[in-house]
Amino acid sequence: MRVLGIESSCDETGVAIYDSEQGLMAEELYSQVALHARYGGVVPELASRDHIRKVLPLVDKVLRAAGPREAAAPVDAVAYTAGPGLVGALLVGATVAQSLAAGWQVPAMGVHHMEGHLLSPMLAADRPSFPLVALLVSGGHTLLVDVQAHGHYRVLGQSLDDAVGEAFDKTAKLMGLPYPGGPQLAKLAEEGDSARYNFPRPMLKKPGHDFSFSGLKTSVLLTWQSSDQLPQTRADIAASFQEAVVDTLTTKVKRALQSTGHTTVMVAGGVGANTRLREALAGMCDDIGANVYFPPMRLCTDNGAMIAYAGWLRLQRDGLHADYYAPVRARWSLEALT
Ligand code: KG4
Ligand code: ZN
């Protein structure tokens, strides 16, 4: 079985082919970062137009890379991100996927973007097994999920305001770092002293697994405004902010492991690329005898491989004749999946 995956929920056009025997056969990714940089954030209409320009050339590239095949169609199904995300951007991937699938007479499969992220650690050589706790940390979501099995997700906690990636991006922006801020802030933090500022660890005193990052963001803003704003101060604020976020996420993951009784945690989404977060989670898991898994670095942020893989898992479970249609939607709960 071979699945073509198309991701277009935000500002990356990702296309890949996953094959049951050969694994990932081809991957292509086009990032629109340069296009949106001058606006300091993603402009939805520009994102949709750029997906239109890029998606078919990338499909062509992955099909060529995968090579010819002795079958009526080059793939057995076409998976596309149906949501959550920017509706105009999603429509581009969904329309192209549905058209290709109709032409090849294979199923078009609507995939949940966060399920794609959630399953991406399974694409690494060392893969976790269910049940487990998943920490999904991206620009749009901060979710702690109890994963009993593939398709069985219970959201334990989520952010009540900003997503963690969004908090990284906004904090970076207020200190004048170029877009996209998250990775820039993380890089700057390497030169900073994380103990110089003791920023709040939000929601740690409250029971439950929810998060909130707006108070932390305000605290950083006030500190920045009243500081000398010299390069070392900026690095120290970056490091102290990152440490507060990492500490909060690590503590909440530990609590989620304790309350579910699971001994495995898997991390996914753009912020999963943060090396300090990886280090802190690995240390905490080591202390309590749990195991932690991450996707390969390049698959932390949005990509087509996770969509092809999530589509392939459903195809394997439900067969070629199941109804995989899903309309595009800006909001879509992971718990609605089965
Ligand atoms: O998963 P993703 O590519 O897109 C969404 O679905 O949102 O995540 C992007 C987010 C951005 O907010 C970006 O700043 C953040 O992930 N990010 C990072 C790092 N790399 C990406 N945040 C902190 N440290 C990083 N190394
Ligand atoms: Zn994402």
Side-chain angles (χ1 to χ4, degrees), residues 7 9 17-18 27 29 52-53 62 106 125 132 158 191 208 223 238 246 250 254 266 283 290 305 320 323 331 333:
E7 155 64 31
S9 67
I17 294 180
Y18 186 86
E27 298 170 59
L29 187 68
I52 292 173
R53 278 189 284 269
V62 296
V106 299
L132 48 80
Q158 54 195 312
E191 293 148 36
T223 305
V246 165
T250 308
K254 186 175 175 183
M266 133 174 138
L320 269 173
D323 179 10
R331 289 173 180 273
S333 166

Side-chain angles (χ1 to χ4, degrees), residues 113 117 138 302 306:
H113 180 79
H117 274 303
S138 73
D302 294 348
M306 68 184 194

Side-chain angles (χ1 to χ4, degrees), residues 229-316:
Q229 302 193 356
L230 291 171
Q232 189 58 50
T233 300
R234 188 157 78 160
D236 292 345
I237 292 180
S240 305
F241 162 81
Q242 177 174 266
E243 203 53 32
V245 171
V246 165
D247 205 14
T248 306
L249 293 175
T250 308
T251 307
K252 293 275 177 172
V253 168
K254 186 175 175 183
R255 282 188 199 164
L257 287 169
Q258 286 162 343
S259 74
T260 56
H262 300 334
T263 53
T264 302
V265 52
M266 133 174 138
V267 184
V271 186
N274 186 284
T275 41
R276 178 67 197 114
L277 177 64
R278 287 182 172 226
E279 186 184 81
L281 283 170
M284 180 275 288
C285 285
D286 217 26
D287 287 348
I288 64 168
N291 300 304
V292 62
Y293 294 84
F294 302 95
M297 274 295 192
R298 73 179 197 288
L299 300 182
C300 281
T301 45
D302 294 348
N303 63 83
M306 68 184 194
I307 302 305
Y309 181 68
W312 174 75
L313 274 182
R314 286 187 173 265
L315 195 66
Q316 196 194 33

Side-chain angles (χ1 to χ4, degrees), residues 196-197 222-230 233-234 237:
R196 179 160 165 200
Y197 299 97
L222 297 175
T223 305
W224 172 247
Q225 284 174 340
S226 60
S227 76
D228 56 25
Q229 302 193 356
L230 291 171
T233 300
R234 188 157 78 160
I237 292 180

